[in-house]
Amino acid sequence: TESKHRRRGGVQQTRSTELGSAVTGSPLTAVLPASTTGKKSIVLSSETRKELANQAKITKEERRAQVDERHKYLISRLADGIGLSEQQVEEAVISDDKFQLIEQFFAPNGLKKLLFFYQDVLQQKSNTSLRSDGSTNGLLQKKLFLTMGSTENFTGICAFFLRTSDKVITASNVCQEVNFGTFGCSNGNILQGLELFLSQIMVPALKSQQQWGAVKEGLKNSQVQDFLHSVDRFVGTLSSSRQNLEDRIQLAKVDIDIYVNNLQNPSDYITAG
C-alpha cells in the first residue's frame, strides 16, 4: 500500500510539473491544493516573473528602435481618432504581440488593411494566479490592440488603415498611399456604427469629391451619379434593416403557474398540449 501511494504521488507531481512547464515554460514554486471546484492554481516563481518581464522589456525596446516616420504617422492618426495621447498609442503598439502585422502592411503587395480595436478587455491582475483550466480572475479595462478582425468580438471602436496601391509604403508616400478611418460599435450595435460611418463621413466625402480620376465630368458624369445613388440606397437599406432588428417582436413573460396548478391527470396535460 505504501509503495502504491508513493507511485501515485509521483505521477501526480509529474503531471503538475508538466502542466506548469506547458503553460509557462518555466518551473513553478508551488501547486496549490485543489479547491472545492476541482481547479488548481499555478503560481510562477519570482525568478520566472523577472525573466519574463525582462524579455518583454527587451522586445519592446527593440520594437521602439524600429519605429520610423511611417509608424509615427499611424500612431498620430490613431491618437487623433481614438482620443489617446501619442505616447499611450506608441506604448500599446510596441507591446502588441501582433506588431509584425505593421511591417506586413508596409511591405510591397502587403496586407491591404490594418485594424485596431479600442474596447474593454479582461485584464489579468499581476498577482492573479493562472488556473489549470486557463481561467483567471481579472477586470475589464480599455485596451488598444491590433487584430485581424476574425477572432475578437467587436464591441468598441475600430480604427482602420487601408492601402490604395501595392506599392511599398515609405515615409514619403505614407500620407498618399494609406487612408485612415474609424467607426464605433456602441453596445455591440455594429450596424448602427456602420450606418453612421457611411452616412456622416463617407457619403458626404464622396459627394464633395471634385476629382474622379479619368472621369473628367466629375460629379456630373452619369456613372458617378449612378454610383452615388446606389450608395444612398445601400445606406437607406442598412438603416431600415437596423430599425427592423431593433423593433423586433418582444415576447412578454407569462406566469404559467396558474395553468400548471390546474393540471390534475394525464388527460389535462393532453388537452393543454
Side-chain angles (χ1 to χ4, degrees):
T1 304
E2 183 179 356
S3 61
K4 291 181 179 179
H5 178 72
R6 284 199 300 268
R7 285 197 298 270
R8 289 175 181 174
V11 172
Q12 182 179 10
Q13 184 177 5
T14 300
R15 288 177 178 174
S16 298
T17 303
E18 290 174 351
L19 175 60
S21 300
V23 174
T24 66
S26 304
L28 308 174
T29 56
V31 178
L32 301 182
S35 65
T36 55
T37 60
K39 297 178 181 178
K40 297 179 181 179
S41 297
I42 301 172
V43 181
L44 295 175
S45 67
S46 58
E47 292 79 6
T48 301
R49 290 197 298 268
K50 289 180 181 179
E51 181 181 354
L52 293 175
N54 186 52
Q55 291 176 354
K57 182 178 179 181
I58 293 174
T59 300
K60 286 172 60 176
E61 292 308 314
E62 290 175 347
R63 291 174 176 176
R64 200 186 304 275
Q66 299 175 26
V67 173
D68 56 26
E69 293 303 318
R70 299 172 302 172
H71 298 82
K72 291 180 180 179
Y73 175 80
L74 303 187
I75 290 170
S76 175
R77 299 285 75 76
L78 285 170
D80 290 340
I82 297 177
L84 299 175
S85 68
E86 293 188 8
Q87 291 77 13
Q88 290 174 308
V89 174
E90 179 177 331
E91 193 66 22
V93 169
I94 64 175
S95 302
D96 200 292
D97 57 1
K98 294 185 178 66
F99 179 82
Q100 72 279 0
L101 293 180
I102 299 178
E103 292 303 319
Q104 296 176 23
F105 180 74
F106 290 153
N109 300 306
L111 294 176
K112 300 302 180 183
K113 67 179 184 297
L114 199 60
L115 300 179
F116 290 83
F117 285 177
Y118 181 60
Q119 60 193 28
D120 287 328
V121 175
L122 186 64
Q123 300 288 329
Q124 181 183 348
K125 299 177 182 178
S126 58
N127 60 347
T128 300
S129 58
L130 176 65
R131 296 185 180 277
S132 58
D133 65 348
S135 64
T136 59
N137 294 322
L139 50 86
L140 289 175
Q141 291 181 344
K142 289 284 187 182
K143 182 180 180 182
L144 174 67
F145 59 93
L146 270 161
T147 177
M148 294 298 292
S150 57
T151 55
E152 297 87 359
N153 292 329
F154 176 38
T155 59
I157 297 176
C158 174
F160 58 88
F161 295 93
L162 302 177
R163 295 173 55 128
T164 59
S165 72
D166 292 329
K167 299 178 182 177
V168 60
I169 304 301
T170 66
S172 59
N173 70 8
V174 63
C175 297
Q176 291 77 33
E177 299 296 334
V178 175
N179 292 325
F180 172 71
T182 65
F183 68 90
C185 184
S186 178
N187 299 322
N189 195 337
I190 191 171
L191 289 181
Q192 184 179 37
L194 182 59
E195 178 190 342
L196 293 175
F197 172 73
L198 291 173
S199 63
Q200 298 185 11
I201 299 176
M202 293 304 299
V203 172
L206 288 172
K207 291 183 177 181
S208 64
Q209 182 76 17
Q210 298 299 320
Q211 301 296 328
W212 287 79
V215 181
K216 296 182 180 180
E217 298 87 354
L219 290 173
K220 297 180 180 180
N221 183 272
S222 59
Q223 292 181 335
V224 173
Q225 290 291 328
D226 290 341
F227 168 71
L228 294 176
H229 182 62
S230 298
V231 174
D232 282 332
R233 284 190 302 173
F234 174 75
V235 175
T237 301
L238 184 63
S239 178
S240 298
S241 300
R242 177 184 59 80
Q243 292 178 19
N244 289 337
L245 288 174
E246 292 177 353
D247 297 334
R248 61 187 180 278
I249 298 175
Q250 298 291 334
L251 298 179
K253 183 178 180 181
V254 178
D255 187 2
I256 64 172
D257 290 344
I258 58 175
Y259 301 103
V260 175
N261 292 336
N262 293 328
L263 301 178
Q264 303 296 331
N265 52 60
S267 61
D268 292 336
Y269 283 93
I270 295 174
T271 304

